[in-house]
Every structure is written in C-alpha cells, then in structure tokens.
Amino acid sequence: PADVELAFGLPESPLPAWKIELKDGRTLALRGKIDRVDLFKHADGSAQAVVLDYKSSGKQLDATLLHHGLQLQLRSYLGVLRRVAELEKHFGVKKISPAGVFFIPLRGKPSSGSRADVLETTTADSAAFQHSGRFDVAALPQLDTRGEKKGTQFKYKFNKDDSLAQTGNDPLPSEDFTALLDKIESDLRRHGESIFAGEAAAHPFRKGKLIACTYCEFKTVCRFDSWVNPFNVLTKPKASE
C-alpha cells in the first residue's frame, strides 16, 4: 500500500486532473478520489501499480458493460496512473506502469463447511474477500508469490499447459491489458465529444434483466416510456473483441 483516498483534480488535492484532449480545443478534465493505490517498486526506480476500490458487497467488472463503454469509474483510475505524470514525483519513482484494478468486498459472505475443514485450512473463506477486476498476467508473480495454478485472493486459473483457462479468469495477456488501457481513453473521449455535441437523448441500456432505469434518479421527469420506446440493448462482445 502506497496511498489511500488519493485525490486528483479536486480542491487542495496533491495531483492535477487527468486531462483528455477533445476536438476544437476542448478538454475533458477527470477528477476524483482513489480508495487505495499499491506499488511494487523495482530496483531501477520504476514501479508497478494497482488500484483497489472498497465495496460494501461484492462487485464484478462485466465484460459486456466494459465493451460498450460503461463501468468507467474503476477503469478510469488506471488511466490516471498511466497519464498523470505528477504521480511519479508524488510516489518518488521514475516510472509507473498500471498493473491491475480490483474491487474488494468489505462484507464477504463466509462459505459453509465442516468444523474440520475450517480448522485444517487458513483459507477457508478466502473466496469471500477475493479481489475482482482485471490485471496484467505479467504482474501475477508480484501479486501472488505462491506459484499455483489457481488463485485465492485473486481470480485466476491456468490449464496444465500453463495457458489461461477460458473461464474464471481476471488476468489478461499483456497486449490485451494495454488495449484495455487504450479503450478507457477512447471511451472517455467519446463521452466527452457527445456531451459537447449536445447529445442528451434518453436512450437507456438493457442487458438481460438489468436496465439503466433501475438506477436513474430522474425517472419522474424523463419522457422515456419502456412500454413504447426501445432500449439500447447491449450485446455480448465476440471473443476477438
């Protein structure tokens, strides 16, 4: 752990906002506060960094929502680590490389088991507080030093040939993790351009039973009628995406 409640772009915060250049000389300035930043410092002065966000209950990053440019908050923190150069001076390192981002549940639900099961292992309820997110598989040796095929604190699983299993995995190959970092910026830039273009139509998403209207605070004044107007249906991304 290197810092907690790390503010950027807020009044009296030690770090500036993350500024993303838009068209016509406009700028999207992102500001906020990161729950916790952990660093792994190397001998050459560089450091790998992960962001941890505490939640009262378990929360997951959803591949479909990520693909369509939603669930931005946690991912945006990775962009802050990547693009706000003042962070390196703040932490006293030469270079920071984002390595992962995780939700941490504060109210994990313990699993059931016999008394013998609990007494025989110190990780009986490790899954209840398992970190959930995305991380660069190259950073796994720094995150988990056990050298196992399956994670406990972190969600990963390898096949017998040391390849990542198709399911039950949060790590990404390094090139895919870099692509995720690039997508964060493109998603934010797209949203910023839409705001300046005056795009404000009510077009809530639907993903299975999940609809944006569930969380909207303006339903009493919104003219969207779910019985008449079509939802923006989010489709699952293809494996190549």
Side-chain angles (χ1 to χ4, degrees):
D3 210 333
V4 294
E5 296 294 317
L6 179 61
F8 57 95
L10 297 174
E12 300 181 2
S13 63
L15 299 168
W18 175 24
K19 294 184 178 180
I20 300 174
E21 300 302 322
L22 306 177
K23 297 177 182 177
D24 301 324
R26 296 185 173 112
T27 301
L28 174 66
L30 196 73
R31 59 183 184 175
K33 188 179 292 185
I34 303 174
D35 280 359
R36 176 175 144 192
V37 177
D38 286 11
L39 293 184
F40 185 93
K41 295 183 179 181
H42 296 275
D44 63 359
S46 64
Q48 291 167 286
V50 296
V51 168
L52 301 113
D53 194 53
Y54 294 103
K55 296 296 180 185
S56 59
S57 59
K59 189 172 182 178
Q60 306 281 332
L61 287 178
D62 184 282
T64 300
L65 297 179
L66 293 179
H67 176 69
H68 291 278
L70 301 175
Q71 288 192 322
L72 283 169
Q73 180 183 4
L74 197 60
R75 293 190 297 142
S76 297
Y77 294 154
L78 284 178
V80 173
L81 294 180
R82 188 189 194 193
R83 298 301 190 196
V84 178
E86 289 84 351
L87 266 169
E88 293 161 356
K89 181 179 180 181
H90 177 77
F91 287 121
V93 297
K94 293 181 179 179
K95 180 178 176 57
I96 291 179
S97 299
V101 61
F102 303 99
F103 289 118
I104 302 179
L106 294 177
R107 298 178 183 175
K109 296 181 179 179
S111 58
S112 60
S114 68
R115 181 174 182 273
D117 292 336
V118 175
L119 293 176
E120 289 176 2
T121 177
T122 58
T123 59
D125 290 323
S126 58
F129 296 96
Q130 188 176 57
H131 296 17
S132 172
R134 294 290 188 275
F135 65 95
D136 186 344
V137 71
L140 185 57
Q142 285 76 48
L143 294 172
D144 190 337
T145 60
R146 300 175 307 124
E148 298 290 335
K149 294 280 189 180
K150 186 176 180 180
T152 52
Q153 182 176 356
F154 300 96
K155 188 177 179 181
Y156 68 86
K157 184 167 59 176
F158 288 95
N159 298 316
K160 291 182 178 179
D161 62 357
D162 291 331
S163 62
L164 287 170
Q166 292 293 319
T167 59
N169 262 313
D170 281 349
L172 296 171
S174 295
E175 58 272 19
D176 292 345
F177 187 75
T178 299
L180 177 65
L181 297 178
D182 293 337
K183 179 171 170 51
I184 294 165
E185 295 189 34
S186 64
D187 286 340
L188 289 171
R189 185 172 288 108
R190 176 167 54 84
H191 287 306
E193 298 287 5
S194 296
I195 290 170
F196 280 115
E199 296 178 13
H203 193 41
F205 75 82
R206 176 190 292 278
K207 176 185 173 289
K209 295 181 179 181
L210 177 66
I211 59 173
C213 299
T214 303
Y215 307 98
C216 181
E217 298 180 355
F218 301 97
K219 288 184 286 188
T220 55
V221 296
C222 178
R223 292 182 178 273
F224 182 85
D225 185 346
S226 61
W227 290 91
V228 177
N229 304 121
F231 280 93
N232 174 24
V233 179
L234 305 183
T235 56
K236 186 177 180 179
K238 299 177 182 178
S240 59
E241 299 173 323

